[in-house]
Amino acid sequence: MNNLSDFNCELAFITDECRKYIKYGKAADYIPVLAKADVNKLGVYIISKDNEYFYGDYDDLFTIQSIIKPLILLLALQDAGVERVRSLVGVEATGKPFDTFNYTDLALKSEHINPMINAGAIALCTLIKGSTFQEKTNRLLDFTRKLAKNDSIEIDTTVYLSEKATGNKNRALAYMLNAYKMINEDVEELLDCYFGACSIKVNCKDLANIAFALAHCLPNEIINEDDARFVNAILSTCGMYDGSGEFALNVGVPAKSGVGGGIMAVVPFRMGIGVFSPALDEKGNSVAGKKILETISKKMQLSIF
Ligand code: GLN
């Protein structure tokens, strides 16, 4: 790898070049508060074993949204074990949007959902330890802080309340899980946990640190290697929803996007990357964020394939 300042210059060049892709996307608008995001924001943070590189709006805060899903999966694996996780959710890509319903008349089964779509993540919240859903949310918040090495991470209450007020599709998904007896928890409390977790505020550096821990670059006491392998495998097939195949071809590393505009990319045993750009494609993935990752991946030969 080049020396620190050389690569920071290159990263600045790559990021500025990718700015032109912002116009092909738009901010999430399923809740009013996200629609207000400044689409001109663009930031990147890379943490490798020896160096850190960053550029642009890397310390701007945005809500983690679906990037909390790999953390929900990890905590569920730690709290309940792989067998209980596997009995509640499947591991196959759905090829459908993140908030999809089951369109067939067939009974919904665990094998129809995976941990990276909303139904799967909502179901997995039930496996997180805690006598109340508030406690489960707090454990997810603490877990995020630990992985991001940042104790100041908080929940954005405005986004949380907005998700709660307008999240009828997620409400419907949770009731469907309940109707098919996949969960039997109080649906409103369960959704509070999911909405609260999606509303955790992070920046690119936080995402890069979380990805670095998942990449298992250094031995770490928070995530064991088996759990990291499980999560990274699911990320590489389902992390970018129905855009995961294209992302595997173009970037080639496990990654997770969120409608807040973040993407967290895990380069196993090498590095963690966080990017932020709120203009999304129709699948809910950051357009310029994907381009930055694609360019970095080609430049640094990051693809695992
Ligand atoms: N809070 C969002 C939702 O549940 C998260 C979706 C996403 O980031 N793709 O709809």
Side-chain angles (χ1 to χ4, degrees):
M1 193 182 289
N2 307 355
N3 76 38
L4 182 65
S5 56
D6 276 358
F7 191 72
N8 257 336
C9 287
E10 208 161 332
L11 189 60
F13 180 77
I14 292 170
T15 311
D16 286 333
E17 276 290 295
C18 291
R19 190 172 284 285
K20 58 177 177 275
Y21 294 99
I22 290 176
K23 63 173 177 289
Y24 298 111
K26 68 184 193 50
D29 56 5
Y30 71 100
I31 53 174
V33 57
L34 288 183
K36 284 192 224 142
D38 179 354
V39 289
N40 291 312
K41 296 282 181 183
L42 193 61
V44 54
Y45 208 104
I46 303 178
I47 301 181
S48 73
K49 279 187 199 165
D50 330 298
N51 280 318
E52 301 197 5
Y53 309 98
F54 39 86
Y55 182 70
D57 302 306
Y58 61 84
D59 60 359
D60 272 44
L61 292 174
F62 51 92
T63 48
I64 194 164
Q65 297 294 350
S66 281
I67 307 170
I68 197 65
K69 286 172 175 150
L71 276 63
I72 293 175
L73 172 60
L74 264 175
L75 201 52
L77 283 167
Q78 291 187 357
D79 283 0
V82 69
E83 271 162 41
R84 285 185 67 202
V85 167
R86 291 296 306 261
S87 71
L88 193 57
V89 292
V91 293
E92 301 303 336
T94 62
K96 298 216 173 83
F98 60 80
D99 54 355
T100 194
F101 286 87
N102 182 19
Y103 292 109
T104 73
D105 280 335
L106 300 173
L108 183 68
K109 291 189 187 147
S110 54
E111 66 207 53
H112 296 141
I113 59 177
N114 72 55
M116 298 304 142
I117 59 168
N118 293 13
I122 293 169
L124 285 177
C125 286
T126 63
L127 298 187
I128 290 169
K129 281 185 188 154
S131 49
T132 62
F133 279 96
Q134 185 60 49
E135 217 176 300
K136 291 175 196 265
T137 315
N138 287 341
R139 291 199 58 240
L140 272 166
L141 178 61
D142 272 350
F143 194 52
T144 309
R145 286 175 176 159
K146 247 198 259 166
L147 290 172
K149 300 188 185 138
N150 179 358
D151 285 339
S152 68
I153 292 178
E154 293 293 350
I155 289 176
D156 185 323
T157 324
T158 315
V159 173
Y160 159 70
L161 290 173
S162 199
E163 296 269 359
K164 188 173 163 70
T166 59
N168 284 336
K169 204 158 179 197
N170 285 319
R171 202 159 272 118
L173 286 172
Y175 276 107
M176 198 165 67
L177 292 169
N178 182 280
Y180 285 106
K181 304 200 170 16
M182 292 169 64
I183 59 168
N184 56 15
E185 279 69 11
D186 181 297
V187 164
E188 284 304 325
E189 284 186 22
L190 176 60
L191 285 168
D192 265 352
C193 173
Y194 175 71
F195 292 144
C198 285
S199 306
I200 290 173
K201 273 185 295 189
V202 288
N203 59 27
C204 291
K205 184 176 184 180
D206 296 327
L207 293 185
N209 266 311
I210 298 169
F212 187 81
L214 263 170
H216 248 270
C217 300
L218 303 170
N220 78 68
E221 64 294 347
I222 315 177
I223 309 176
N224 76 44
E225 222 170 315
D226 285 345
D227 289 350
R229 194 173 302 111
F230 189 110
V231 173
N232 291 336
I234 308 271
L235 287 181
S236 58
T237 53
C238 312
M240 304 294 284
Y241 312 115
D242 43 338
S244 298
E246 197 72 35
F247 190 85
L249 284 175
N250 295 336
V251 185
V253 299
K256 186 75 208 78
S257 59
V259 293
I263 304 179
M264 172 186 88
V266 179
V267 190
F269 309 110
R270 285 181 67 184
M271 61 183 74
I273 308 177
V275 294
F276 169 53
S277 169
L280 311 177
D281 65 14
E282 67 291 348
K283 297 177 176 176
N285 298 324
S286 168
V287 185
K290 278 191 307 181
K291 275 289 168 190
I292 294 174
L293 290 171
E294 188 179 326
T295 317
I296 295 173
S297 175
K298 298 220 160 92
K299 190 109 231 155
M300 300 173 108
Q301 297 190 305
L302 299 184
S303 175
I304 60 172
F305 300 110

